[in-house]
Amino acid sequence: MNTNEERQRYSKEDLAEFEEIIQEKLTNARKEVAFIKETLSRRNDSGTDNTASPSKMLEDGADTAEKESLNQLASRQMKFIQQLENALIRIKNGTYGVCIVTGKLIPKERLRAVPHTQHSIEAKLQRND
């Protein structure tokens, strides 16, 4: 029974590899969020001119659209960070790499590409049908 249990979980070495991948992605995602927040902050600081010329109104519209786009990007990155942090928790509690639908191990190739996934390809395809 112990060997069967072994096949249902990744080894400590495999988990260490995945943890390293996740930590690297977390670092990059946090840097990107910090950059976006800094960019938004700079945009807010420079928006003190109250002239009401038509070109200024166009600039304001473009600036608002860009801020909205940056906010959406920051929101997606924050969600990604949360998913990566949850994956680290699963590594620690021993459930990482196990598909929550099939109960089978998610292939290493998939986890290397999408380290925060909780679904095997089969489960993901079932969800999309």
Side-chain angles (χ1 to χ4, degrees):
M1 187 167 163
N2 195 12
T3 56
N4 190 27
E5 182 68 25
E6 288 294 315
R7 279 184 270 145
Q8 297 303 324
R9 303 272 183 257
Y10 279 110
S11 69
K12 287 185 192 279
E13 293 80 14
D14 289 332
L15 292 176
E17 176 193 342
F18 294 129
E19 186 171 2
E20 192 176 311
I21 290 169
I22 291 167
Q23 290 290 5
E24 185 178 327
K25 288 189 180 291
L26 263 173
T27 299
N28 291 337
R30 287 178 177 140
K31 283 180 187 172
E32 190 164 335
V33 168
F35 176 77
I36 293 167
K37 286 181 177 178
E38 185 181 315
T39 301
L40 284 168
S41 176
R42 273 200 312 266
R43 295 226 183 277
N44 288 339
D45 291 347
S46 65
T48 55
D49 184 15
N50 287 332
T51 58
S53 70
S55 64
K56 177 66 177 150
M57 288 169 56
L58 282 173
E59 278 179 34
D60 287 348
D63 200 39
T64 300
E66 188 174 357
K67 283 179 188 175
E68 206 171 285
S69 178
L70 286 169
N71 277 321
Q72 287 175 351
L73 183 58
S75 178
R76 280 195 303 273
Q77 282 299 100
M78 295 300 289
K79 184 178 177 187
F80 182 52
I81 288 168
Q82 186 62 56
Q83 291 170 330
L84 291 168
E85 289 173 343
N86 290 342
L88 288 176
I89 292 168
R90 291 193 300 277
I91 286 175
K92 288 184 183 16
N93 70 21
T95 60
Y96 182 82
V98 179
C99 177
I100 60 174
V101 175
T102 66
K104 297 177 184 172
L105 279 183
I106 300 168
K108 287 182 183 180
E109 299 75 35
R110 176 155 170 74
L111 290 170
R112 286 183 185 119
V114 189
H116 59 283
T117 190
Q118 297 184 70
H119 296 93
S120 62
I121 289 291
E122 298 90 330
K124 184 165 175 49
L125 291 174
Q126 287 172 13
R127 282 180 41 196
N128 290 340
D129 286 347

